[in-house]
Amino acid sequence: MQQEGGSIPLERVTLRVSDFADIGEQEAADLIDEGSDAGIYTLDRGSSGSGLIVGATPQGPEPDVITESFGPASSEGTADFRVISVVTDSINDALHEADITDFTQLADAEIDEITGLTGTLTESRAEALLEEAATHIPVGTSLARAAAQRYTRRVDDQGRGVARVVDLAVADEPVGEPLYRSKDWSADDLRGMYVSDVGRNASEPVPTGLHILDDPDHPDVPKAATHPDAGDDALPVDEQGEVIAPAVPIEPRLQLPIDELLAKKLSRGLVPVRIVGPRGSGKNYLLKYLCYRTNRGYVSIDCDAATHTEDLFGPLTPNENGIIVPRNGAVKQGLLNGSVVVLNEFPVMRAGAAMALHRLLNEGKLLIKAHGEIVEPHPSARIVITMNPPTREYRDSEPMNSATRGRFRAFEQPYIQDIEEEVDTLDRQVNTSKQVIDRAALRKIVQFAHQTRQNESWPTLSTRNLTILCEHIEDGASPKAAVKNELWAVTEPNQYPEDCYETLNDYL
């Protein structure tokens, strides 16, 4: 039932039980009937009349067939390390004699502590043992440790957790200078620009001309998870501490990697860029990654139907002397600081607020009529908008005004077309500190997700959804149950997740 994520046909259990235990179909059916009478199983009838197991409550001693098939249960409070592939009976006993009684203790041990506990426990075997032990640590332990690390980042001098408020009006620190200037390099020196070396360009990196700035510690520059100032939105890192690159799709019409295209447009100055893509396709992660790689400020603003001009550029407010003065909004301050300003779901914004950006998009100058100002942005400032495609799934999105739309260089960012590339990216994200899901199962999930993206009547699983369902797997759910849960979570009112369960059975 845990594997299926819900009730399970009785016939499927009786047919498959012989794969796990030395028991026949009829004997399995008889045991289930006996268990039902004893209150262990709750049985029901499906709409087709077939039997369903809708509940199971283990009780009493385990049946002999279980013990014969899987061995006796381990001693109370003592872990059975023999589930680790390299652990033999003698190694298991030796670890217990060394007062290592659970997987957390074992994973925290040093290689030299356990090497030589038996004649067969070599250094290389000990290393493999400790690596695999980490995958058996109860998830609650890992979550508690991670929570403690996050909390520590937000403590004051007295060691108490505190909130932080940044006043945009006074957060006026400009981004760094281009690296080629501070290093006195040539402007076209490859060391001073973003070179696309992910996805299709991994084997033959492509220079983009987008200059790297020299201040990676600027508050608006996205941080790696290992950075001392990293927040909850930090970029994830792999086992080597390197930021995980996005899975980069190919722009379907221009047939070039989207990161290369975006970087080349950003290198042209304050050229407005529009990225169109479905939810969870990685639009914002790609932008954050480019900003991280080039030490550029990243200011992301979520637009909605209530977004006014003053929300973008700032209201007029009285100062301490009662004089009405302009206060900087997020967009204005980001442009002054030289950051990359990202406006998400731009088309749903009020037409007046969008129209207020026209002079900026045309001439590179921002006219704020309410303030009586013309703002010439910092030379490193850039502006990017993101939006969902005009399809049925995003029917609540408003169409963009044609006068505004024509001012942008537009790219489409689809879901990743290459299954192995998406598997690689997810594998690095979810299996960094310990293995959450083996690669073979992850590949099956990605293959199924690609099926959902090709069928308009099914709920769509995005790359973001796949990271979430892997989180459910880490919490203890089976892969199949996690997929079913995420399908339910993203289902539209006119869709039924059960419609794709039969195909899911082909994969998991």
Side-chain angles (χ1 to χ4, degrees):
M1 291 183 65
Q2 183 184 31
Q3 170 69 22
E4 292 291 320
S7 59
I8 180 171
L10 181 60
E11 183 181 14
R12 189 183 305 171
V13 176
T14 56
L15 286 173
R16 292 180 58 185
V17 70
S18 60
D19 295 339
F20 305 95
D22 186 16
I23 182 174
E25 180 181 342
Q26 186 57 53
E27 188 179 353
D30 292 341
L31 277 175
I32 291 174
D33 285 338
E34 293 173 15
S36 177
D37 294 338
I40 297 174
Y41 299 109
T42 304
L43 304 182
D44 198 0
R45 291 286 174 186
S47 56
S48 62
S50 59
L52 292 174
I53 301 177
V54 297
T57 307
Q59 52 187 278
E62 65 181 20
D64 292 339
V65 67
I66 298 296
T67 305
E68 292 168 2
S69 302
F70 301 102
S74 58
S75 302
E76 186 71 25
T78 302
D80 185 355
F81 298 128
R82 287 171 296 184
V83 298
I84 298 176
S85 58
V86 298
V87 173
T88 61
D89 290 343
S90 60
I91 293 176
N92 184 63
D93 294 340
L95 290 171
H96 290 158
E97 290 171 4
D99 291 329
I100 299 176
T101 58
D102 60 50
F103 286 102
T104 303
Q105 284 181 294
L106 182 57
D108 289 341
E110 299 293 335
I111 293 177
D112 56 4
E113 287 182 53
I114 63 173
T115 299
L117 287 179
T118 71
T120 59
L121 192 50
T122 61
E123 183 175 336
S124 60
R125 199 169 192 175
E127 183 178 3
L129 189 157
L130 295 181
E131 183 176 342
E132 191 173 340
T135 69
H136 294 279
I137 295 177
V139 67
T141 301
S142 303
L143 292 176
R145 292 179 176 183
Q149 290 177 346
R150 289 194 303 271
Y151 196 89
T152 302
R153 298 192 195 113
R154 296 287 182 86
V155 296
D156 57 15
D157 295 338
Q158 285 74 45
R160 298 179 62 85
V162 294
R164 294 177 184 172
V165 178
V166 176
D167 188 340
L168 290 176
V170 297
D172 57 0
E173 180 181 345
V175 295
E177 284 291 292
L179 198 60
Y180 80 90
R181 288 174 58 86
S182 58
K183 295 288 187 179
D184 197 25
W185 295 338
S186 167
D188 59 358
D189 193 312
L190 296 183
R191 293 173 295 176
M193 73 173 75
Y194 173 72
V195 177
S196 174
D197 57 1
V198 295
R200 195 176 79 179
N201 290 339
S203 57
E204 297 183 24
V206 176
T208 66
L210 180 62
H211 285 128
I212 300 171
L213 308 185
D214 64 3
D215 184 9
D217 295 321
H218 185 277
D220 289 343
V221 173
K223 305 295 190 293
T226 51
H227 192 282
D229 294 330
D232 291 339
D233 61 344
L235 296 166
V237 298
D238 59 18
E239 292 179 346
Q240 287 72 44
E242 299 292 330
V243 166
I244 297 172
V248 177
I250 302 299
E251 211 287 338
R253 279 161 291 277
L254 299 174
Q255 285 296 298
L256 289 171
I258 192 73
D259 75 307
E260 176 190 335
L261 285 168
L262 181 57
K264 287 178 176 178
K265 291 304 179 192
L266 295 179
S267 72
R268 294 174 181 269
L270 196 58
V271 171
V273 177
R274 175 167 67 110
I275 302 178
V276 183
R279 58 171 177 77
S281 58
K283 299 184 292 294
N284 284 89
Y285 189 83
L286 173 63
L287 286 162
K288 286 179 69 174
Y289 178 75
L290 282 177
C291 289
Y292 165 77
R293 285 282 302 269
T294 57
N295 299 328
R296 294 176 178 270
Y298 171 82
V299 177
S300 178
I301 299 135
D302 293 327
C303 303
D304 57 43
T307 300
H308 290 267
T309 304
E310 64 180 22
D311 297 322
L312 302 180
F313 308 131
L316 294 170
T317 58
N319 63 14
E320 61 274 9
N321 299 318
I323 300 173
I324 301 298
V325 295
R327 181 179 177 83
N328 292 346
V331 171
K332 179 185 174 183
Q333 192 63 59
L335 294 173
L336 293 175
N337 292 351
S339 296
V340 176
V341 177
V342 182
L343 300 174
N344 296 306
E345 309 307 328
F346 183 85
V348 304
M349 187 168 54
R350 287 174 175 263
M355 295 288 285
L357 291 169
H358 278 195
R359 186 164 182 179
L360 175 68
L361 305 181
N362 287 344
E363 304 173 12
K365 297 179 181 180
L366 178 64
L367 172 62
I368 308 178
K369 290 184 287 187
H371 294 187
E373 297 176 333
I374 291 181
V375 177
E376 293 192 42
H378 187 286
S380 292
R382 303 291 187 268
I383 187 164
V384 179
I385 69 170
T386 70
M387 59 181 290
N388 297 132
T391 60
R392 183 179 65 177
E393 188 173 3
Y394 308 103
R395 57 189 175 277
D396 294 333
S397 297
E398 296 294 327
M400 182 184 289
N401 178 289
S402 61
T404 305
R405 185 171 61 242
R407 288 169 163 81
F408 288 88
R409 281 68 165 172
F411 302 126
E412 180 182 354
Q413 180 163 342
Y415 290 122
I416 300 302
Q417 301 98 327
D418 186 271
I419 289 175
E420 286 304 317
E421 186 177 355
E422 189 165 4
V423 171
D424 286 340
T425 302
L426 288 167
D427 189 28
R428 294 179 68 198
Q429 285 185 5
V430 304
N431 291 326
T432 297
S433 57
K434 67 175 184 178
Q435 182 172 307
V436 172
I437 178 173
D438 67 83
R439 189 179 177 90
L442 183 59
R443 182 182 293 105
K444 292 176 181 178
I445 290 174
V446 172
Q447 288 171 333
F448 175 73
H450 280 239
Q451 290 276 82
T452 70
R453 299 167 193 173
Q454 296 164 12
N455 191 320
E456 290 187 1
S457 63
W458 288 0
T460 300
L461 292 179
S462 68
T463 304
R464 181 192 301 143
N465 295 137
L466 299 188
T467 62
I468 293 173
L469 71 83
C470 285
E471 180 184 293
H472 296 329
I473 293 171
E474 185 178 14
D475 288 343
S478 74
K480 192 170 187 178
V483 172
K484 284 186 174 182
N485 177 270
E486 202 59 22
L487 283 170
W488 165 80
V490 301
T491 296
E492 296 284 321
N494 62 328
Q495 296 172 328
Y496 301 93
E498 295 83 359
D499 292 347
C500 53
Y501 284 177
E502 186 175 347
T503 301
L504 177 60
N505 289 337
D506 295 337
Y507 290 97
L508 296 171

